Amino acid sequence: MPDRFYRPVLTLLILAYTAGVIGLQTPSLAPLFRSLVPYNLLGSLLLLLAFHADWKPSFRFYCILAILWGFLIEVLGVHTGFVFGNYVYGETLGWKLWEVPVVIGINWLMLTYCCGVICDALPLRVYLKTMVAASLMVLLDLLIEPVAIRLDFWNWFEADVPIRNYLGWWIVSLIILGIWYGLPFRKQNRLALPLLILQFLFFAAMNLVFFLTKP
């Protein structure tokens, strides 16, 4: 996508995520905004990929693999509890296949892509970049979990989010990101950093609102 579209797209994303925070906290608007969550994820990914310039077969392979691996590992997790712990998906993330929302694979692609681009700029060896990027994924998940439970993204059968969930996130992310760094394509995208920052700010704001409005 030409550079002249960068600022309008970034403005659109900022407005969308800001509206999401407000809409999800407004009782009369919350059902509508919950129904829009899958479309927001899909739209965010499409805008992100619109700024990716190197569509080599290796990059297309990564996209397909990240979506499929992310989705199938969630199927394994939901049905066995082996990967992340015992949990079940709610209705907010939309249409499901094998009890897992189809959009979850898109989320794995978007987040690993953003973390991979950001950490690629670090002056580190590739294996360290991979570990830092996977750790950044887990840091985001720490903010996601309380919000996901409140908004019926997913629910845990246990009283608290199990530690193995975060370990599972790190290992799954590490595998996807290891493939990301191992494949020969350009790992640059000017939208990756602001989009990941928006993700962090969105979930941080939602956590803050939940904390301030807690009975």
Side-chain angles (χ1 to χ4, degrees), residues 71 89-90 92-105 153:
F71 176 78
Y89 276 100
T92 301
L93 292 179
W95 187 71
K96 300 175 188 176
L97 177 63
W98 300 318
E99 300 181 34
V100 174
V102 173
V103 77
I104 206 68
F153 288 11

Side-chain angles (χ1 to χ4, degrees), residues 140-157:
L140 178 59
D141 189 45
L142 286 168
L143 293 175
I144 291 175
E145 290 296 336
V147 177
I149 295 168
R150 289 285 293 269
L151 297 183
D152 196 32
F153 288 11
W154 56 78
N155 292 281
W156 295 95
F157 294 146

Side-chain angles (χ1 to χ4, degrees), residues 4 25 29 43 46 54 61 67 70 73 76 84 88 184 214:
R4 67 178 182 273
Q25 297 299 326
L29 296 175
L46 291 177
D54 186 3
F61 172 76
I67 291 173
I73 205 72
L76 178 65
F84 307 107
V88 62
K214 184 170 60 176

